[in-house]
């Protein structure tokens, strides 16, 4: 292992660092991940009108504010796979989606609804005041009670 020490390389006066550990600048480095097994999500249907269609802007606006874009994207991917009866790689955010009640993992199967419920009170409390106000207005416009 080579080291750059003050006095040997006159670029700056930093302490010694290993120069052969890091890859060359611009080199593509990829650490292969563990291969994920595939799941075949199953669809269960809620009563008509209960919740929002996955393509509704409510889902992207408010659930993304709570869960983050990656988790919402995987939720939508699971719903789409369940509707098409296809397999998908095991979602990385499956524990988060299960914890929030958006997906159920039972008897070696992943169950998902074709409708996404509105945020609960504990979720709404986490929104910013402006987003909370918009959330109340959007629920009223959709004809849903503002406090589930």
């Amino acid at each position: 292992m080579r080291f750059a020490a003050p006095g040997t390389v006159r670029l700056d006066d930093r302490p010694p660092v290993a120069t052969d550990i890091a890859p060359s600048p611009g080199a593509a480095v990829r650490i292969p991940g563990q291969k994920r097994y595939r799941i075949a999500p199953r669809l269960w249907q809620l009563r008509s009108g209960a919740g929002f269609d996955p393509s509704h802007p409510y889902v992207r606006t408010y659930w993304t504010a709570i869960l983050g874009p990656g988790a919402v994207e995987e939720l939508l991917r699971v719903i789409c796979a369940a509707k098409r009866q296809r397999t998908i790689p095991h979602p990385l955010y499956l524990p988060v989606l299960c914890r929030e009640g958006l997906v159920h993992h039972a008897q070696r199967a992943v169950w998902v609804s074709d409708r996404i419920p509105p945020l609960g009170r504990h979720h709404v409390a986490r929104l910013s005041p402006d987003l909370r106000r918009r959330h109340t207005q959007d629920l009223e416009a959709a004809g849903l009670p503002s406090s589930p």
Side-chain angles (χ1 to χ4, degrees), residues 18-144:
T19 58
D20 60 348
I21 294 176
S24 301
V29 177
R30 181 179 179 272
I31 300 172
Q34 183 179 8
K35 187 170 181 164
R36 295 186 286 169
Y37 62 90
R38 299 185 71 80
I39 62 167
R42 298 178 185 175
L43 191 64
W44 95 79
Q45 296 184 352
L46 295 177
R47 300 180 313 272
S48 63
F52 294 92
D53 188 76
S55 62
H56 196 280
Y58 178 93
V59 176
R60 294 270 185 189
T61 304
Y62 301 108
W63 277 109
T64 300
I66 296 299
L67 301 177
V72 171
E73 186 62 36
E74 283 196 345
L75 172 63
L76 299 177
R77 192 176 298 125
V78 170
I79 292 171
C80 184
K83 285 181 178 180
R84 295 179 180 178
Q85 298 179 349
R86 309 259 174 150
T87 63
I88 58 171
H90 183 271
L92 298 175
Y93 290 95
L94 187 62
V96 173
L97 298 174
C98 288
R99 183 186 69 222
E100 298 300 335
L102 299 169
V103 172
H104 298 282
H105 191 235
Q107 299 174 354
R108 299 181 135 191
V110 174
W111 294 88
V112 66
S113 173
D114 61 341
R115 308 286 288 176
I116 299 175
L119 299 179
R121 287 184 184 158
H122 62 287
H123 294 127
V124 174
R126 292 174 43 201
L127 297 174
S128 67
D130 182 47
L131 202 54
R132 196 176 310 137
R133 189 175 339 99
R134 285 181 38 206
H135 178 262
T136 303
Q137 292 169 353
D138 287 349
L139 282 182
E140 290 172 357
L144 297 171

